[in-house]
Amino acid sequence: PIVVLDFGSQYTQIIARKLREAGVYSEIVPYNERIEDILARTPRGIILSGGPASVYAADAYHPDEEIFNLGLPILGICYGMQLISQFFGGSVIPADHHEYGKAKLTFEKECEIFKDTNDGQTVWMSHGDKVDQLADGFEVIGTSENSPFAAIANEAERIYAFQFHPEVYHSEQGSLILKNFAKYICGCESTWNMGSFAKEQIKKIQDQVGNKKVLCGVSGGVDSSVVATLLAEAIGDQLIPVFVDNGLLRANEREQVEAMFKSRGVNLVTVDASETFLSRLAGVTDPETKRKIIGETFIEVFDIEAKKHDGIEFLAQGTLYTDVIESVSVKGPSKTIKSHHNVGGLPDWMTFELIEPLREIFKDEVRLLGLELGLPKDMIGRHPFPGPGLAIRVMGDVNKPDLELLRKADTIMLDVLHATGLYDKTWQAFTVLLNVKSVGVMGDNRTYDNTVCVRIVEATDGMTATFAHIPHDILETISRRIINEVDGINRVVYDISSKPPATIEWE
Ligand code: XMP
């Protein structure tokens, strides 16, 4: 693959995606990944991402400098460019003007990396520092009005560096430039696709597992179903799929998931741990504490289940890149937004070794993979549902009566979305029970009841999202039906925030 070292740019994951779209496999690793671990991935080339820091700051993020001695092609983007310049003896200084937005790239030299792209193309700049003096062996290959060093290279060493961000949408021909880097500079072929991904992962699972057994947590959602299918192909009946009823599921969910797996001939083990989860959550109101309790309890349940079978050493989960990036600790280059249950919620005492084949890809890519593996369309189209379930959709204390109210509201909302065909057009739709009571009038009586919030969003990978512009008459039906049919709810509101600055879930 091409290995992308992540220095904390908000665009890092898009670099990897663009390469995959170009048919080239890539993996993102933390900026400080040890050289042995980088080499173990047998990279054809290395990309250094952008990042929010300054290379000359005392606590700047630096990679293992051995990467510069491997003789591999390297592409540095923004912060990555400044690291390259600094390492090879150039200088980096704060720019007089922060440059943000579109710029015109003028070629100074004909280079393979720019092949089939246009002189004068629009590129996207976003930086506060700039290279001031070129390092030895480097030359300018592109300039912009404000950046005399918009693109530099040491072609003999196959090292390239851009001040602009080729990966972002606004860099018109940036995808092609990244593809050129992979194809002409690194010698990668455009042969990678989701089928290759499936094959690679199956092989990797077989090598990792040997003749041991794997417990796979399944939820009925897309991610864990895809993981279970990959495992079933890789290791057959060494796989024990376990479905945990944590008491935080939606209405009839357990029955639906059991029926679905049964129809596919899978022997699902269902564990009812609802009392354990609910008793531990009683009285807990802090979102991160809820998440930690749930993450830990899942592992405890898996641990107890594993002891009933011989030789289970592994736990497989449907962790996605989005789960990872939002959960990484503040020690890393990005900040913790929330601890996704299967990443930041794992307890220290866990002894399972993890198998997470989807850890580096995005939801829409998982769906393509699911199609490739022959999963049914309606399963692939299922909206994401978070592992902590309804616990993070009941604000404040989680208790059975509130969960029951929320289930009823949720069922009605989903019913309307299915009936109007909007379910398949949206990324996610759910209801949140707000810890807010308000006054209403029903019949001739005063009510003082709960408020439900309807949240429907559009997204492609869940990293960003916008609230869905649902027609008002449909919102009206949802509201009227919930208030009429659910005792205890007298007000429905619609969430009109996007991510960022809000997140999709409320907790
Ligand atoms: P946020 O709320 O962070 O959510 O904007 C992004 C996407 O991730 C889902 N989500 C989770 N999924 N475990 C999961 O498996 C979790 O702990 C978790 N928290 C959020 C969320 O539903 C949305 O699709």
Side-chain angles (χ1 to χ4, degrees):
I2 302 245
V3 167
V4 182
L5 294 192
D6 178 20
F7 292 90
S9 159
Q10 51 177 324
Y11 307 133
T12 305
Q13 64 281 0
I14 313 176
I15 303 172
R17 258 208 89 120
K18 292 281 172 183
L19 290 169
R20 290 197 289 267
E21 280 169 17
V24 176
Y25 186 55
S26 73
E27 289 174 4
I28 299 176
V29 301
Y31 70 93
N32 56 357
E33 177 101 330
R34 292 179 319 164
I35 194 76
E36 308 80 281
D37 298 329
I38 294 178
L39 286 173
R41 297 170 187 267
T42 58
R44 287 282 190 87
I46 296 178
I47 296 184
L48 310 179
S49 84
S54 280
V55 288
Y56 46 74
D59 54 354
Y61 300 129
H62 286 281
D64 188 328
E65 290 186 343
E66 270 305 301
I67 59 165
F68 296 114
N69 301 324
L70 299 175
L72 284 173
I74 297 181
L75 170 63
I77 297 172
C78 200
Y79 182 81
M81 173 194 213
Q82 291 149 16
L83 279 172
I84 289 174
S85 297
Q86 198 187 41
F87 179 82
F88 289 101
S91 69
V92 176
I93 56 164
D96 308 335
H97 305 286
H98 287 205
E99 197 181 5
Y100 187 80
K102 290 179 184 172
K104 201 171 99 173
L105 180 70
T106 306
F107 294 161
E108 298 298 327
K109 189 185 173 199
E110 207 169 294
C111 289
E112 268 191 315
I113 203 161
F114 293 140
K115 201 173 153 114
D116 299 327
T117 70
N118 302 330
D119 195 7
Q121 65 188 281
T122 299
V123 294
W124 187 260
M125 296 280 186
S126 174
H127 63 111
D129 291 344
K130 64 175 188 184
V131 171
D132 185 46
Q133 234 170 358
L134 267 187
D136 276 352
F138 282 78
E139 62 184 325
V140 175
I141 58 171
T143 52
S144 75
E145 203 175 329
N146 289 317
S147 296
F149 303 123
I152 60 172
N154 179 336
E155 291 211 277
E157 298 290 334
R158 296 185 297 168
I159 301 177
Y160 294 80
F162 301 149
Q163 187 57 73
F164 61 91
H165 287 271
E167 70 277 22
V168 309
Y169 173 76
H170 300 283
S171 286
E172 273 175 347
Q173 295 180 308
S175 305
L176 189 51
I177 293 177
L178 287 172
K179 186 176 179 180
N180 287 343
F181 174 70
K183 188 171 172 185
Y184 300 116
I185 315 297
C186 304
C188 299
E189 284 169 46
S190 297
T191 50
W192 188 90
N193 57 33
M194 276 299 159
S196 349
F197 182 83
K199 280 197 207 107
E200 284 159 22
Q201 294 303 324
I202 289 170
K203 169 86 179 32
K204 213 161 135 189
I205 293 167
Q206 289 165 336
D207 292 346
Q208 192 181 355
V209 176
N211 55 11
K212 300 281 175 14
K213 286 186 190 146
V214 181
L215 190 149
C216 177
V218 297
S219 67
V222 187
D223 313 331
S224 58
S225 301
V226 166
V227 170
T229 311
L230 279 174
L231 281 158
E233 296 210 3
I235 57 167
D237 56 13
Q238 286 157 260
L239 161 71
I240 320 277
V242 176
F243 174 65
V244 179
D245 181 349
N246 56 9
L248 305 166
L249 302 172
R250 290 164 292 186
N252 302 320
E253 190 154 17
R254 174 170 166 178
E255 294 74 12
Q256 281 166 11
V257 173
E258 286 175 336
M260 181 178 73
F261 278 94
K262 198 165 172 206
S263 74
R264 305 197 72 230
V266 179
N267 268 331
L268 191 64
V269 178
T270 303
V271 181
D272 186 344
S274 48
E275 291 306 325
T276 312
F277 277 90
L278 294 179
S279 63
R280 290 187 188 172
L281 286 170
V284 179
T285 54
D286 174 62
E288 277 295 287
T289 313
K290 285 184 188 176
R291 285 175 167 274
K292 293 264 151 77
I293 290 174
I294 293 166
E296 178 153 5
T297 308
F298 262 115
I299 298 299
E300 229 179 276
V301 172
F302 290 147
D303 212 43
I304 294 169
E305 189 54 36
K307 296 218 165 72
K308 297 183 188 161
H309 307 261
D310 238 11
I312 294 190
E313 288 187 9
F314 301 91
L315 173 67
Q317 312 193 107
T319 311
L320 305 186
Y321 186 69
T322 9
D323 301 325
V324 179
I325 191 71
E326 300 207 336
S327 303
V328 282
S329 89
V330 276
K331 280 183 244 127
S334 329
K335 303 229 183 298
T336 304
I337 307 297
K338 46 182 87 168
S339 300
H340 284 216
H341 77 288
N342 43 2
V343 185
L346 298 177
D348 304 336
W349 52 262
M350 187 180 85
T351 54
F352 291 113
E353 199 178 311
L354 287 177
I355 297 184
E356 300 183 314
L358 314 180
R359 203 180 158 86
E360 268 140 26
I361 62 175
F362 293 89
K363 189 97 179 184
D364 49 330
E365 295 179 301
V366 174
R367 291 196 163 116
L368 292 176
L369 179 59
L371 280 176
E372 188 75 38
L373 293 168
L375 290 179
K377 273 234 166 65
D378 56 337
M379 146 167 292
I380 289 181
R382 273 182 65 145
H383 283 177
F385 183 64
L390 300 183
I392 54 170
R393 294 178 181 174
V394 170
M395 300 300 95
D397 171 50
V398 181
N399 56 65
K400 277 187 184 168
D402 281 354
L403 287 168
E404 219 25 64
L405 271 189
L406 186 59
R407 282 191 187 106
K408 287 182 182 153
D410 205 61
T411 305
I412 294 169
M413 187 270 317
L414 288 175
D415 193 36
V416 176
L417 282 204
H418 279 298
T420 50
L422 283 173
Y423 184 87
D424 291 329
K425 295 200 180 110
T426 50
W427 164 267
Q428 208 168 359
F430 54 92
T431 48
V432 182
L433 188 67
L434 306 186
N435 203 352
V436 172
K437 286 196 167 193
S438 73
V439 175
V441 49
M442 274 182 169
D444 285 326
N445 292 312
R446 175 187 194 267
T447 57
Y448 185 57
D449 274 337
N450 290 291
T451 310
V452 149
C453 170
V454 174
R455 175 88 166 130
I456 307 178
V457 298
E458 282 170 9
T460 52
D461 57 24
M463 296 289 292
T464 58
T466 49
F467 73 87
H469 292 215
I470 302 293
H472 288 179
D473 54 338
I474 296 177
L475 288 175
E476 189 180 343
T477 309
I478 294 174
S479 159
R480 180 173 35 77
R481 279 196 53 195
I482 290 177
I483 293 171
N484 282 344
E485 295 172 35
V486 187
D487 244 358
I489 295 175
N490 67 353
R491 196 176 290 266
V492 173
V493 296
Y494 189 58
D495 185 343
I496 54 169
S497 354
S498 292
K499 171 186 181 176
T503 56
I504 296 177
E505 304 284 348
W506 273 50
E507 289 193 339

